[in-house]
Amino acid sequence: MGSAPVSDRVYVADTVTTAVKILIVGHFAVGKTTFVGSLSEIRPLRTEEIMTQAGEMIDDLAGVPDKTTTTVAMDFGRLTLSDSLVLYLFGAPGQKRFMRLWKDMMQGALGALVLADTRRLDQSFDIMSVLEEHGMPYAVAVNQFDGAPVFPEEEVREALDLLPETPLVTCDARDTESSSKALIALVEYLQTRTLQEQR
């Protein structure tokens, strides 16, 4: 699997005039940290901690028994799209106890990419509800885990109760090209919405 090339340039170029904030959200253990890491041109900021016995009764490890760490604040990455435009990627922790943090992270965000897992689609509902509550436009990317069931797009769309215009794509969060396509689907959707609102 690919990974994003880490740039030697730590700071944003002087020519950058526009910065866009994008949220990467989803339920616990859906691949948000991996997604941000696969796209970031800088070494991503990660706030992962070792999972302890105290979290056993809170964090559902069904389907992810090998998971040993969890994000406790956020992931952060950067992706320069042109000499004048840069994307800032903010990965939000997926557990319900961090929902207050989400609301703060939404400030100034243009939109969100919701990562979903076909083994646990029902866990995406709370995530999408919070976004809809705050009027945050989003696209959904089904992260393709090894051994996870694959369903036709229409069935996934129906299971998630998505509006016809909400983009639904598949991706492998470990792969830079695949993650890029998911992010592009979101950005194209946001552009379309903006043009429609301007008419």
Side-chain angles (χ1 to χ4, degrees):
M1 293 293 151
S3 60
V6 177
S7 170
D8 290 335
R9 188 184 323 160
V10 176
Y11 300 103
V12 175
D14 294 336
T15 56
V16 171
T17 56
T18 305
V20 176
K21 180 180 182 181
I22 299 288
L23 300 183
I24 310 301
V25 299
H27 57 75
F28 172 68
V30 77
K32 300 175 296 293
T33 298
T34 302
F35 186 93
V36 171
S38 74
L39 287 176
S40 183
E41 66 192 12
I42 59 172
R43 187 176 309 284
L45 167 68
R46 292 184 172 145
T47 58
E48 286 197 302
E49 293 293 334
I50 301 291
M51 296 179 68
T52 65
Q53 288 182 336
E56 284 182 5
M57 302 302 290
I58 302 171
D59 298 327
D60 183 6
L61 291 173
V64 286
D66 297 329
K67 186 165 178 63
T68 58
T69 61
T70 186
T71 299
V72 295
M74 69 173 182
D75 299 304
F76 173 78
R78 186 185 78 205
L79 184 60
T80 301
L81 298 184
S82 70
D83 289 341
S84 60
L85 176 63
V86 67
L87 287 185
Y88 290 122
L89 306 174
F90 287 79
Q95 296 96 318
K96 286 184 181 180
R97 63 185 180 273
F98 293 114
M99 288 294 176
R100 279 191 197 164
L101 177 61
W102 279 42
K103 293 172 185 177
D104 291 337
M105 290 176 72
M106 285 185 201
Q107 296 294 321
L110 197 60
L113 184 66
V114 179
L115 292 185
D117 179 352
T118 57
R119 299 168 299 182
R120 301 174 289 153
L121 283 178
D122 59 310
Q123 293 184 24
S124 298
F125 294 133
D126 287 342
I127 310 300
M128 294 185 298
S129 291
V130 171
L131 295 173
E132 290 167 4
E133 213 176 279
H134 290 81
M136 179 69 59
Y138 64 88
V140 176
V142 174
N143 190 9
Q144 298 174 309
F145 286 91
D146 296 335
V150 177
F151 301 105
E153 180 181 323
E154 310 79 53
E155 289 185 22
V156 176
R157 183 174 288 281
E158 184 177 348
L160 292 174
D161 195 25
L162 298 179
L163 294 172
E165 63 270 21
T166 302
L168 174 63
V169 297
T170 59
C171 75
D172 182 335
R174 300 168 294 183
D175 183 69
T176 301
E177 184 177 347
S178 181
S179 296
S180 295
K181 288 178 181 175
L183 191 60
I184 288 168
L186 170 64
V187 171
E188 288 177 344
Y189 173 56
L190 296 174
Q191 288 176 326
T192 300
R193 282 176 54 100
T194 301
L195 289 173
Q196 289 172 344
E197 289 168 2
Q198 290 173 347
R199 289 177 185 164

